[in-house]
Amino acid sequence: MAIIAFGLGVWLCQYLPQLPARGWLSMLTAASLVAGAGVYRRGRYVAGGVMVRASILLLALLIGFAWAAWRAEWRLADELPQAWEGRDVEVTGVVDELPEPSERGVRFSFRVERTAAPLPSRILLAWYRSDREGAGEDKAPAVRPGERWRFTVRLKRPHGLVNPEGFDYEAALLERGIRATGNVRAGEKPLLLDPFVPEPMIVVHRLRDAIRARFAATLPDADYVGVLIALAVGDQRAIPNEQWIIFRKTGVAHLISISGLHVSMVGLMVGWLVGKGWRRSRRRVLRWPAAKAAAAAGLVAAASYAVLAGLGIPTQRSLIMLAVIALALLGGREVVGSRVLALALLCVLLFDPWAVLSAGFWLSFGAVGILMYLLGGRLATASGWRAAIGSQLGITLATIPALLVLFNAFSLVSPFANAVAIPLVSFVITPLTLLAIVLPFAPLLQLAHWLTGLLMVVLEWMAAFPFAMWQQAAPPAMLAAAGMLGMGWMLLPRGTPARHAGLFALLPMLVWTPPRPVPGAYRMTALDVGQGTAVHVQTARHELLYDAGPAYGQGSDAGVRVLLPYLQAAGVERIDRLVISHNDLDHSGGARSLVEGVTIGDLMANLPTDDPLRDVPGTRVVACEAGTRWRWDEVDFEILHPASDEPAPNKDNDASCVLRIVAPGGSVLLVGDIERAAERSLLKRHGSEIASDVVLVPHHGSRSSSGEDFVAAIAPQAAIFSAGYLNQFRHPHPAVWDRWAAVGASNWRTDRQGAINVEVTAKGVDIQAQRDREARYWHGH
């Protein structure tokens, strides 16, 4: 229980909006240590006393909190000063992890050795091909682990997109110890100083790089070579997104990586072989028990496999858990499941207090705990295939609440998919892949790839079922807790009264839907998509999306990274109308991924006749023209621009669709990228009628927009700037920022405050920023 209290203290620290001052933290640490010594001495004489136990739990919680806070303080201190953001800096260092290559370049972790600037010790760099660098630079740059380079780089502090229920990129960088990101500059040619720096982990990463390259060369253009590379060296980045969708729909994503299952499988397999051979020699058995020899060999094999995977954070958790069991066996200690799990938890949190932020942490420890729960306290347990099926069904049922909370979805075909995938991947494909590392014999890899393709046929068939995935909005904590208790009751031993009644505790979270605006009100969310625009508007029964965000390059866009996860978390399965203001990629770049992932009713846009978005099945294309009006749930929508009776504008920006939303409680004006000419046209046609309570500032705050007369005519309570952090256009322009503030508007910006939520009710307009709603101590550091 003390270890659980320690973990609770670590968890509480990670949800602080701000770390305690160092003085207070020092006092808390000192007081905890002194009190701990006192409780220990008193506990020796009053063993088992209620007050002593309560004091131990409280102290464990405080120590966990202090430990996590000090670790965070030390890591945050290794930062890039704001004054050095966006400046060119020369830096010398070593590539210390496996790089991530792409068609245009490479991303890699870089350990800084020498620089004249106050840089953090580890940074993440992107080095892209530049055709302007001259002949011979047409290939993407390549780096290898262990190379020492001298670069000119331009850095920024860790920064990610912050949206409701979105991925926290800044937290992920903090956990990895990466305290700045940036690009290699093309000004001064990078210089390779040393082709190889011989350090233990760098040798491992160089070996991983060689294995990855050999696999890719042996299976060029193979569909599933990325899966085999992931199973061999833990690098999942070569797996296409389309395959990840299939793995998630079928619930087998945990198999397509060097996870706890694979690390344990390697350890158990090697341990079993060594133990079997050890028992054949009476002399060896008399000198050392076969069980201990098997435990030692299994631990070495599992550790070797984990190291080959690069000792990533999920792999570290699995190895620590296995090491606790092996060391208990080697020490002659009784292996009690609950104690092993608690000690593993303690070791993981001592090493990585940020692990509690990871879904994998909860699922890995939860799965082991569920297995212990299923197998413990039973008078008789099943064996063989019955035990395997029962365990898989039990884990599937018990993890439903957690999966809904963490991912807003769970797979309904997971038990069947795992029944096929677990034995095939764990006992055939993975061993063949590992054997191909030791024996560079091409048919081994080809056989593993053929079997992977066979498995994918089955998984694709299951993923195609309409009922393959259950998706819904994340349920409230109380409903999730009730669901977990219900599943725990259902999994009690046979004979427990009303055991199946636990299902009724799960039903409320499955039928729960998030609250929606009442008729006559609406909710608008200006999403944080970087340098671009995406706005979600929700009424009592309808959904509208204004713009789809930018394309990010490297095969990614705002549709995949922001919009679809956000809509899924909000419980939105259909967009009644998608408005694309104009065809610039920072407004339409995510549209293709969006229409492939969610049902779209109408598409309102002025797109070219050959635009592929016009051919989306089941979607009606509507022209965006001034005078178009519709009413949803007592909320009025009107297109104000462009007008069909006016000449075509000289700039595409001035052809942006302008949408005004009006309800009794307030109005919003969405204006795309219009510039001064379109602003004058709007003023000429509508005059003071464009006045609105909230405006999405035109063209991200560019100085080519937001003319004085236009700003004065709108005179909003709030002006929202949708822009990317340290974007190359330097939006918003300071003069434009001041211009909106001068008419009494409170200025909001997505790059500094995350998504901006606007609630328009009968009481008026209420605005909140996502970084204020869910503030964390690492945001902005």
Side-chain angles (χ1 to χ4, degrees):
M1 290 301 294
I3 292 176
I4 294 176
F6 177 89
L8 179 60
V10 172
W11 180 79
L12 289 173
C13 179
Q14 305 307 343
Y15 285 83
L16 289 177
Q18 189 174 2
L19 288 175
R22 291 189 179 184
W24 285 105
L25 192 54
S26 299
M27 291 173 59
L28 173 63
T29 305
S32 299
L33 294 176
V34 171
V39 169
Y40 173 74
R41 292 186 63 184
R42 178 172 175 79
R44 294 169 60 188
Y45 306 105
V46 196
V50 174
M51 290 301 296
V52 172
R53 291 180 180 178
S55 300
I56 289 173
L57 293 179
L58 178 59
L59 280 171
L61 185 145
L62 293 176
I63 291 170
F65 180 90
W67 170 248
W70 276 119
R71 287 290 304 274
E73 187 75 37
W74 297 331
R75 185 154 290 183
L76 291 180
D78 184 30
E79 66 176 355
L80 175 72
Q82 283 187 339
W84 285 87
E85 284 189 302
R87 295 171 60 176
D88 286 351
V89 177
E90 186 175 88
V91 59
T92 299
V94 176
V95 180
D96 67 348
E97 284 187 0
L98 196 64
E100 178 185 356
S102 65
E103 292 183 2
R104 288 192 56 241
V106 62
R107 288 165 59 89
F108 53 95
S109 172
F110 196 65
R111 189 180 72 236
V112 176
E113 293 181 327
R114 292 189 303 274
T115 179
L119 303 187
S121 57
R122 290 187 77 222
I123 58 180
L124 183 66
L125 294 177
W127 186 6
Y128 297 121
R129 178 184 65 224
S130 175
D131 298 332
R132 294 175 298 176
E133 293 182 7
E137 297 290 342
D138 55 334
K139 293 184 178 180
V143 297
R144 299 188 66 193
E147 292 179 340
R148 177 176 283 122
W149 286 85
R150 181 186 299 153
F151 294 125
T152 299
V153 300
R154 182 172 292 180
L155 301 174
K156 63 181 180 182
R157 294 153 72 91
H159 186 87
L161 307 176
V162 178
N163 293 290
E165 304 295 333
F167 174 68
D168 195 333
Y169 182 61
E170 294 173 39
L173 291 178
L174 181 71
E175 187 177 15
R176 291 177 58 189
I178 292 175
R179 303 301 300 128
T181 63
N183 297 311
V184 175
R185 304 294 291 167
E188 184 174 341
K189 191 173 180 63
L191 180 63
L192 177 63
L193 302 176
D194 194 338
F196 182 60
V197 177
E199 296 177 6
M201 278 309 297
I202 282 179
V203 171
V204 171
H205 289 308
R206 182 63 73 98
L207 175 62
R208 297 174 69 215
D209 185 60
I211 293 170
R212 181 175 67 176
R214 179 159 61 83
F215 276 33
T218 304
L219 299 171
D221 303 321
D223 292 334
Y224 311 115
V225 65
V227 173
L228 300 184
I229 290 173
L231 293 174
V233 297
D235 181 20
Q236 305 173 23
R237 294 168 294 192
I239 301 176
N241 186 60
E242 295 78 11
Q243 293 177 16
W244 277 121
I245 293 174
I246 293 171
F247 297 148
R248 294 188 187 104
K249 282 187 174 182
T250 53
V252 302
H254 63 103
L255 295 174
I256 316 302
S257 62
I258 300 182
S259 61
L261 177 64
H262 294 138
V263 171
S264 301
M265 181 269 296
V266 169
L268 291 172
M269 186 177 293
V270 172
W272 177 78
L273 290 173
V274 170
K276 191 176 180 63
W278 200 269
R279 292 184 182 90
R280 293 181 177 274
S281 171
R282 182 179 301 176
R283 186 182 59 173
R284 286 197 297 264
V285 171
L286 291 174
R287 293 183 62 183
W288 207 29
K292 291 188 176 183
L299 179 59
V300 170
S304 301
Y305 189 33
V307 169
L308 185 63
L311 274 180
I313 291 168
T315 311
Q316 292 169 8
R317 291 196 292 265
S318 306
L319 180 60
I320 288 172
M321 195 178 300
L322 194 63
V324 170
I325 299 174
L327 293 174
L329 289 171
L330 291 172
R333 302 288 183 129
E334 183 181 358
V335 180
V336 180
S338 59
R339 292 181 181 178
V340 168
L341 196 63
L343 287 172
L345 174 67
L346 177 63
C347 293
V348 167
L349 295 180
L350 285 173
F351 181 78
D352 176 22
W354 297 279
V356 295
L357 300 172
S358 166
F361 168 85
W362 298 99
L363 293 177
S364 58
F365 277 99
V368 175
I370 292 165
L371 281 175
M372 291 168 51
Y373 182 74
L374 290 171
L375 300 177
R378 267 66 172 174
L379 295 177
T381 56
S383 59
W385 64 271
R386 294 178 184 272
I389 292 176
S391 298
Q392 182 60 44
L393 286 173
I395 290 175
T396 300
L397 287 172
T399 55
I400 285 175
L403 291 172
L404 285 179
V405 170
L406 296 170
F407 303 113
N408 312 117
F410 64 90
S411 173
L412 292 171
V413 299
S414 173
F416 310 101
N418 276 282
V420 176
I422 287 177
L424 187 57
V425 173
S426 299
F427 300 110
V428 183
I429 296 174
T430 299
L432 282 173
T433 304
L434 296 179
L435 192 59
I437 295 175
V438 182
L439 301 175
F441 185 50
L444 289 174
L445 268 184
Q446 292 165 353
L447 177 59
H449 186 270
W450 181 81
L451 290 170
T452 305
L454 192 64
L455 174 63
M456 288 300 296
V457 171
V458 178
L459 296 180
E460 288 172 0
W461 173 68
M462 291 185 179
F465 292 159
F467 54 82
M469 282 281 285
W470 179 282
Q471 298 186 34
Q472 68 172 75
M478 291 298 293
L479 292 183
M484 291 177 186
L485 291 174
M487 290 299 95
W489 184 264
M490 279 190 66
L491 298 177
L492 285 170
R494 291 181 181 179
T496 302
R499 188 163 61 105
H500 297 291
L503 180 62
F504 292 103
L506 180 67
L507 291 179
M509 71 178 296
L510 294 180
V511 300
W512 180 84
T513 57
R516 300 180 66 93
V518 299
Y522 61 96
R523 177 182 302 124
M524 185 192 86
T525 304
L527 293 164
D528 182 10
V529 293
Q531 185 63 17
T533 300
V535 179
H536 175 226
V537 180
Q538 184 179 69
T539 67
R541 293 185 300 274
H542 292 85
E543 313 284 347
L544 178 140
L545 198 65
Y546 181 87
D547 282 338
Y552 298 127
Q554 309 300 311
S556 180
D557 57 51
V560 170
R561 284 177 49 186
V562 178
L563 297 179
L564 291 177
Y566 162 78
L567 293 172
Q568 181 178 333
V572 177
E573 299 178 356
R574 172 188 169 88
I575 298 296
D576 296 288
R577 176 158 288 179
L578 169 62
V579 179
I580 300 295
S581 64
H582 61 304
N583 206 29
D584 283 0
L585 279 180
D586 57 336
H587 295 254
S588 63
R592 170 53 61 178
S593 298
L594 183 69
V595 299
E596 291 175 354
V598 68
T599 302
I600 305 293
D602 292 344
L603 171 61
M604 175 174 279
N606 296 326
L607 298 172
T609 55
D610 59 346
D611 194 291
L613 286 176
R614 289 184 172 274
D615 300 325
V616 176
T619 299
R620 185 172 67 102
V621 180
V622 180
C624 181
E625 293 183 355
T628 303
R629 297 180 178 88
W630 66 97
R631 185 177 175 86
W632 285 343
D633 311 316
E634 301 177 27
V635 178
D636 294 310
F637 297 78
E638 182 180 4
I639 299 297
L640 302 183
H641 182 82
S644 57
D645 58 352
E646 290 186 349
N650 295 325
K651 295 183 177 181
D652 289 340
N653 285 346
D654 281 332
S656 296
C657 293
V658 175
L659 173 65
R660 189 165 183 260
I661 307 169
V662 182
S667 55
V668 169
L669 187 65
L670 306 176
V671 294
D673 276 355
I674 62 171
E675 299 187 13
R676 300 291 180 93
E679 291 175 358
R680 289 191 293 269
S681 177
L682 273 170
L683 286 173
K684 181 179 179 181
R685 288 199 311 273
H686 300 284
S688 60
E689 294 177 3
I690 65 172
S692 302
D693 297 293
V694 179
V695 63
L696 190 72
V697 174
H699 203 184
H700 321 289
S702 168
R703 62 179 177 179
S704 63
S705 302
S706 300
E708 290 84 352
D709 293 341
F710 185 71
V711 171
I714 297 175
Q717 298 177 24
I720 300 174
F721 295 79
S722 179
Y725 184 68
L726 295 180
N727 63 85
Q728 61 179 324
F729 309 104
R730 299 187 179 182
H731 295 158
H733 194 276
V736 173
W737 179 272
D738 293 341
R739 194 173 299 148
W740 287 100
V743 297
S746 59
N747 286 338
W748 303 75
R749 52 191 298 172
T750 58
D751 58 339
R752 303 282 174 85
Q753 297 170 286
I756 308 299
N757 182 267
V758 180
E759 295 277 352
V760 180
T761 66
K763 297 180 180 179
V765 177
D766 179 64
I767 303 180
Q768 287 184 308
Q770 190 65 24
R771 284 185 182 264
D772 295 332
R773 276 179 159 183
E774 297 184 3
R776 299 291 182 265
Y777 66 80
W778 57 81
H779 285 167
H781 286 277

PDB file of all heavy atoms in Angstrom, residues 689-704:
ATOM      1  N   GLU A 689     -23.699  46.049 -40.103  1.00  0.00           N
ATOM      2  CA  GLU A 689     -24.331  44.745 -39.851  1.00  0.00           C
ATOM      3  C   GLU A 689     -23.313  43.639 -39.588  1.00  0.00           C
ATOM      4  O   GLU A 689     -23.677  42.564 -39.113  1.00  0.00           O
ATOM      5  CB  GLU A 689     -25.207  44.353 -41.043  1.00  0.00           C
ATOM      6  CG  GLU A 689     -26.412  45.269 -41.244  1.00  0.00           C
ATOM      7  CD  GLU A 689     -27.221  44.890 -42.466  1.00  0.00           C
ATOM      8  OE1 GLU A 689     -26.850  43.873 -43.112  1.00  0.00           O
ATOM      9  OE2 GLU A 689     -28.199  45.572 -42.786  1.00  0.00           O
ATOM     10  N   ILE A 690     -22.054  43.891 -39.899  1.00  0.00           N
ATOM     11  CA  ILE A 690     -21.041  42.854 -39.652  1.00  0.00           C
ATOM     12  C   ILE A 690     -20.555  42.889 -38.200  1.00  0.00           C
ATOM     13  O   ILE A 690     -19.728  42.064 -37.806  1.00  0.00           O
ATOM     14  CB  ILE A 690     -19.836  42.999 -40.600  1.00  0.00           C
ATOM     15  CG1 ILE A 690     -19.070  44.299 -40.335  1.00  0.00           C
ATOM     16  CG2 ILE A 690     -20.262  42.909 -42.055  1.00  0.00           C
ATOM     17  CD1 ILE A 690     -17.764  44.393 -41.106  1.00  0.00           C
ATOM     18  N   ALA A 691     -21.043  43.824 -37.409  1.00  0.00           N
ATOM     19  CA  ALA A 691     -20.645  43.888 -35.996  1.00  0.00           C
ATOM     20  C   ALA A 691     -20.923  42.540 -35.329  1.00  0.00           C
ATOM     21  O   ALA A 691     -21.997  41.968 -35.490  1.00  0.00           O
ATOM     22  CB  ALA A 691     -21.395  45.004 -35.286  1.00  0.00           C
ATOM     23  N   SER A 692     -19.934  42.029 -34.589  1.00  0.00           N
ATOM     24  CA  SER A 692     -20.048  40.707 -33.965  1.00  0.00           C
ATOM     25  C   SER A 692     -19.352  40.711 -32.615  1.00  0.00           C
ATOM     26  O   SER A 692     -18.427  41.499 -32.368  1.00  0.00           O
ATOM     27  CB  SER A 692     -19.428  39.627 -34.868  1.00  0.00           C
ATOM     28  OG  SER A 692     -20.051  39.615 -36.136  1.00  0.00           O
ATOM     29  N   ASP A 693     -19.794  39.807 -31.754  1.00  0.00           N
ATOM     30  CA  ASP A 693     -19.189  39.707 -30.421  1.00  0.00           C
ATOM     31  C   ASP A 693     -17.811  39.052 -30.467  1.00  0.00           C
ATOM     32  O   ASP A 693     -16.941  39.372 -29.659  1.00  0.00           O
ATOM     33  CB  ASP A 693     -20.103  38.902 -29.491  1.00  0.00           C
ATOM     34  CG  ASP A 693     -21.441  39.592 -29.283  1.00  0.00           C
ATOM     35  OD1 ASP A 693     -21.445  40.668 -28.665  1.00  0.00           O
ATOM     36  OD2 ASP A 693     -22.460  39.066 -29.759  1.00  0.00           O
ATOM     37  N   VAL A 694     -17.631  38.098 -31.390  1.00  0.00           N
ATOM     38  CA  VAL A 694     -16.362  37.374 -31.517  1.00  0.00           C
ATOM     39  C   VAL A 694     -15.996  37.336 -32.990  1.00  0.00           C
ATOM     40  O   VAL A 694     -16.855  37.106 -33.851  1.00  0.00           O
ATOM     41  CB  VAL A 694     -16.473  35.939 -30.957  1.00  0.00           C
ATOM     42  CG1 VAL A 694     -15.142  35.197 -31.117  1.00  0.00           C
ATOM     43  CG2 VAL A 694     -16.903  35.946 -29.496  1.00  0.00           C
ATOM     44  N   VAL A 695     -14.728  37.537 -33.291  1.00  0.00           N
ATOM     45  CA  VAL A 695     -14.250  37.447 -34.666  1.00  0.00           C
ATOM     46  C   VAL A 695     -13.009  36.577 -34.720  1.00  0.00           C
ATOM     47  O   VAL A 695     -12.151  36.629 -33.824  1.00  0.00           O
ATOM     48  CB  VAL A 695     -13.940  38.855 -35.249  1.00  0.00           C
ATOM     49  CG1 VAL A 695     -12.823  39.530 -34.480  1.00  0.00           C
ATOM     50  CG2 VAL A 695     -13.578  38.755 -36.737  1.00  0.00           C
ATOM     51  N   LEU A 696     -12.965  35.721 -35.723  1.00  0.00           N
ATOM     52  CA  LEU A 696     -11.729  35.007 -36.025  1.00  0.00           C
ATOM     53  C   LEU A 696     -10.933  35.916 -36.951  1.00  0.00           C
ATOM     54  O   LEU A 696     -11.315  36.118 -38.104  1.00  0.00           O
ATOM     55  CB  LEU A 696     -12.026  33.666 -36.690  1.00  0.00           C
ATOM     56  CG  LEU A 696     -10.815  32.743 -36.836  1.00  0.00           C
ATOM     57  CD1 LEU A 696     -10.409  32.169 -35.485  1.00  0.00           C
ATOM     58  CD2 LEU A 696     -11.112  31.605 -37.810  1.00  0.00           C
ATOM     59  N   VAL A 697      -9.877  36.498 -36.445  1.00  0.00           N
ATOM     60  CA  VAL A 697      -9.159  37.575 -37.146  1.00  0.00           C
ATOM     61  C   VAL A 697      -8.724  37.110 -38.531  1.00  0.00           C
ATOM     62  O   VAL A 697      -8.176  36.007 -38.691  1.00  0.00           O
ATOM     63  CB  VAL A 697      -7.943  38.009 -36.304  1.00  0.00           C
ATOM     64  CG1 VAL A 697      -7.086  39.017 -37.069  1.00  0.00           C
ATOM     65  CG2 VAL A 697      -8.413  38.607 -34.981  1.00  0.00           C
ATOM     66  N   PRO A 698      -8.976  37.918 -39.568  1.00  0.00           N
ATOM     67  CA  PRO A 698      -8.634  37.504 -40.929  1.00  0.00           C
ATOM     68  C   PRO A 698      -7.137  37.286 -41.134  1.00  0.00           C
ATOM     69  O   PRO A 698      -6.301  37.990 -40.574  1.00  0.00           O
ATOM     70  CB  PRO A 698      -9.156  38.660 -41.795  1.00  0.00           C
ATOM     71  CG  PRO A 698      -9.296  39.816 -40.869  1.00  0.00           C
ATOM     72  CD  PRO A 698      -9.621  39.240 -39.538  1.00  0.00           C
ATOM     73  N   HIS A 699      -6.837  36.270 -41.924  1.00  0.00           N
ATOM     74  CA  HIS A 699      -5.478  35.969 -42.398  1.00  0.00           C
ATOM     75  C   HIS A 699      -4.486  35.849 -41.229  1.00  0.00           C
ATOM     76  O   HIS A 699      -3.352  36.283 -41.316  1.00  0.00           O
ATOM     77  CB  HIS A 699      -5.011  37.031 -43.388  1.00  0.00           C
ATOM     78  CG  HIS A 699      -3.940  36.542 -44.299  1.00  0.00           C
ATOM     79  ND1 HIS A 699      -3.323  37.367 -45.208  1.00  0.00           N
ATOM     80  CD2 HIS A 699      -3.364  35.327 -44.442  1.00  0.00           C
ATOM     81  CE1 HIS A 699      -2.414  36.669 -45.883  1.00  0.00           C
ATOM     82  NE2 HIS A 699      -2.423  35.427 -45.434  1.00  0.00           N
ATOM     83  N   HIS A 700      -4.959  35.236 -40.123  1.00  0.00           N
ATOM     84  CA  HIS A 700      -4.100  34.897 -38.978  1.00  0.00           C
ATOM     85  C   HIS A 700      -3.426  36.110 -38.338  1.00  0.00           C
ATOM     86  O   HIS A 700      -2.438  35.959 -37.619  1.00  0.00           O
ATOM     87  CB  HIS A 700      -3.020  33.880 -39.393  1.00  0.00           C
ATOM     88  CG  HIS A 700      -3.513  32.836 -40.341  1.00  0.00           C
ATOM     89  ND1 HIS A 700      -4.378  31.839 -39.950  1.00  0.00           N
ATOM     90  CD2 HIS A 700      -3.293  32.646 -41.684  1.00  0.00           C
ATOM     91  CE1 HIS A 700      -4.664  31.070 -40.995  1.00  0.00           C
ATOM     92  NE2 HIS A 700      -4.032  31.537 -42.050  1.00  0.00           N
ATOM     93  N   GLY A 701      -3.958  37.298 -38.627  1.00  0.00           N
ATOM     94  CA  GLY A 701      -3.362  38.503 -38.051  1.00  0.00           C
ATOM     95  C   GLY A 701      -2.326  39.155 -38.943  1.00  0.00           C
ATOM     96  O   GLY A 701      -1.503  39.945 -38.466  1.00  0.00           O
ATOM     97  N   SER A 702      -2.382  38.868 -40.239  1.00  0.00           N
ATOM     98  CA  SER A 702      -1.453  39.494 -41.185  1.00  0.00           C
ATOM     99  C   SER A 702      -1.724  40.997 -41.290  1.00  0.00           C
ATOM    100  O   SER A 702      -2.868  41.445 -41.174  1.00  0.00           O
ATOM    101  CB  SER A 702      -1.599  38.847 -42.565  1.00  0.00           C
ATOM    102  OG  SER A 702      -0.935  39.604 -43.559  1.00  0.00           O
ATOM    103  N   ARG A 703      -0.676  41.761 -41.538  1.00  0.00           N
ATOM    104  CA  ARG A 703      -0.856  43.215 -41.674  1.00  0.00           C
ATOM    105  C   ARG A 703      -1.532  43.580 -42.989  1.00  0.00           C
ATOM    106  O   ARG A 703      -1.897  44.738 -43.198  1.00  0.00           O
ATOM    107  CB  ARG A 703       0.479  43.926 -41.560  1.00  0.00           C
ATOM    108  CG  ARG A 703       1.498  43.574 -42.632  1.00  0.00           C
ATOM    109  CD  ARG A 703       2.772  44.355 -42.419  1.00  0.00           C
ATOM    110  NE  ARG A 703       3.799  43.999 -43.394  1.00  0.00           N
ATOM    111  CZ  ARG A 703       5.009  44.553 -43.430  1.00  0.00           C
ATOM    112  NH1 ARG A 703       5.334  45.478 -42.543  1.00  0.00           N
ATOM    113  NH2 ARG A 703       5.889  44.188 -44.329  1.00  0.00           N
ATOM    114  N   SER A 704      -1.700  42.611 -43.912  1.00  0.00           N
ATOM    115  CA  SER A 704      -2.424  42.888 -45.153  1.00  0.00           C
ATOM    116  C   SER A 704      -3.941  42.855 -44.939  1.00  0.00           C
ATOM    117  O   SER A 704      -4.704  43.103 -45.863  1.00  0.00           O
ATOM    118  CB  SER A 704      -2.032  41.872 -46.234  1.00  0.00           C
ATOM    119  OG  SER A 704      -2.402  40.566 -45.846  1.00  0.00           O
TER     120      SER A 704
END
